[in-house]
Amino acid sequence: MDIGVVFQLDPPASAVVDLAVKAEQAGFSHVWSFDSHLLWQEPFVIYSQILAKTEKVVVGPMVTNPKTRDWSVTASHFATLNEAYGNRTVCGIGRGDSAVRTLGLKPTTIAELRASTVAIRDLAEGRVADVRGQEINFPWVKGGALPMWVAGYGPRALAVAGEVGDGFILQLADPDIVAWTIGAVKDAAEKAGRDPDAITFCVAAPAYVGDDLAHQREQCRWFGGMVGNHVADIVERYGADGGAVPKALTDYIKGRKDYDYAEHGRAGNSHTAFVPDEIVDRFCLLGPVEAHLDRLKELAHLGVDQFAVYLQHDDKENTLSVYGEQIIPAVSGLRVKTT
């Protein structure tokens, strides 16, 4: 199992780059970032600095979207980075949350998500792409490679991941929900005539190592609020009791009210009081090293290829260090393919 890390791009950018260097030295395989240009700094500028100061780590957004960024510009960013640094990028893509909502927009459609996933990959890898009915290409791209990992929770987004994605990103670490989403993605892949085992499965969630569980919960409660925004969209479309998604994913948002994107992804977010301790414990990895290892082994058994650590709390460097010294070596090579 690979272990990645997800950063917010708060200034100074140099501090993020320094953390990325430390992450590579600790054995992390991927450095991801939020992509929300009103709330944080520009990721593609910072990616170039990270790639220039590292040797192996793969970088990309968790996640970008096809609404606030033109598809061809996104593909050009990735293709340029790959040409300069040797195909060390990955594109996480979804319908959009904070990046679009802070502009007063709604998430993109499933059809646009599907089409943009294919088009961005085609362009970045040197093929002709259909971008909203216009055939275009980058004549300067030679030997490019860009895996497209689709993020989502609802049935239609999971279908896109299985039908056209190189990977799937689930932003929570509850084993029951992980099993359900992986099963749905694999079913979609099989129906599309694809090999389900060729898809990379990534689970992303906050991880905080230590013994003060109450403090860790408060530092990571924001995550349940962030996930709740996506779940609310699913409930609005499918209803809470229609069976389209597990009740484990929908029940906890009944107490959800307003959400302030000015506090999006931040520890101590005052708009996440509705998230109970049980959800924090299920969605995140908390507690001593042994608890992290137990959950990671369970996720690997379900078919997860990578766990990406959301590192938004008050103990970032220690978490990086402990993962590098004790957790990454223990899970390296750990992989159990489900049948």
Side-chain angles (χ1 to χ4, degrees):
M1 175 185 277
D2 289 337
I3 303 292
V5 62
V6 188
F7 295 128
Q8 288 175 345
L9 302 182
D10 291 307
S14 59
V16 178
V17 175
D18 288 344
L19 281 173
V21 171
K22 290 178 180 178
E24 180 175 75
Q25 293 171 345
F28 287 80
S29 62
H30 290 63
V31 170
W32 302 90
S33 80
F34 284 54
D35 177 14
S36 192
H37 61 287
L38 295 187
L39 299 178
W40 297 287
Q41 293 185 314
E42 172 56 38
F44 288 97
V45 175
I46 296 175
Y47 295 159
S48 67
Q49 294 298 306
I50 292 173
L51 290 167
K53 294 188 176 183
T54 57
E55 296 180 357
K56 297 180 180 179
V57 73
V58 175
V59 305
M62 189 177 283
V63 296
T64 193
N65 73 88
K67 197 160 195 174
T68 59
R69 294 187 183 275
D70 180 84
W71 307 356
S72 64
V73 175
T74 298
S76 182
H77 283 321
F78 281 112
T80 302
L81 291 172
N82 284 336
E83 189 281 326
Y85 300 105
N87 290 339
R88 291 169 55 203
T89 65
V90 58
C91 181
I93 190 167
R95 294 182 60 218
D97 184 28
S98 61
V100 298
R101 295 185 195 274
T102 52
L103 293 172
L105 305 173
K106 292 183 178 180
T108 192
T109 65
I110 289 294
E112 280 192 303
L113 175 61
R114 181 192 307 274
S116 63
T117 297
V118 175
I120 292 169
R121 179 173 54 214
D122 282 344
L123 287 170
E125 295 185 348
R127 294 184 293 277
V128 174
D130 181 345
V131 178
R132 301 186 178 94
Q134 180 75 26
E135 289 193 348
I136 61 175
N137 74 299
F138 298 149
W140 49 271
V141 172
K142 307 295 180 185
L146 181 62
M148 298 293 296
W149 293 12
V150 178
Y153 300 92
R156 296 194 303 158
L158 300 180
V160 172
E163 291 162 2
V164 301
D166 300 298
F168 167 65
I169 297 170
L170 177 66
Q171 291 163 306
L172 58 82
D174 179 275
D176 290 339
I177 299 172
V178 169
W180 174 75
T181 55
I182 287 179
V185 171
K186 287 189 171 187
D187 285 346
E190 288 180 349
K191 290 176 182 177
R194 304 180 68 205
D195 178 5
D197 286 334
I199 298 173
T200 301
F201 292 94
C202 174
V203 163
Y208 195 136
V209 181
D211 297 319
D212 189 346
L213 193 57
H215 177 72
Q216 292 175 26
R217 285 171 175 154
E218 291 310 310
Q219 286 287 302
C220 298
R221 199 176 303 276
W222 65 267
F223 184 68
M226 184 186 82
V227 172
N229 291 325
H230 300 288
V231 175
D233 284 343
I234 297 171
V235 170
E236 182 178 354
R237 175 171 291 277
Y238 296 101
D241 302 314
V245 293
K247 289 180 67 64
L249 189 57
T250 60
D251 279 355
Y252 85 98
I253 67 164
K254 292 177 180 178
R256 178 180 179 271
K257 297 179 181 179
D258 294 332
Y259 186 82
D260 185 357
Y261 276 93
E263 296 185 295
H264 184 66
R266 299 191 184 280
N269 187 329
S270 62
H271 292 76
T272 59
F274 73 92
V275 181
D277 288 351
E278 178 192 3
I279 288 293
V280 182
D281 293 348
R282 283 167 45 193
F283 283 14
C284 306
L285 270 66
L286 310 176
V289 168
E290 292 75 16
H292 290 246
L293 290 175
D294 287 346
R295 180 73 68 85
L296 291 171
K297 291 174 182 177
E298 186 174 7
L299 294 176
H301 181 74
L302 293 173
V304 174
D305 298 286
Q306 180 181 148
F307 176 69
V309 177
Y310 271 106
L311 202 62
Q312 286 78 48
H313 53 62
D314 61 3
D315 201 25
K316 295 180 178 64
E317 296 215 15
N318 182 61
T319 297
L320 278 179
S321 176
V322 172
Y323 259 73
E325 293 173 2
Q326 300 184 54
I327 295 176
I328 291 175
V331 302
S332 178
L334 180 64
R335 186 68 176 93
V336 180
K337 277 287 185 182
T338 55
T339 57

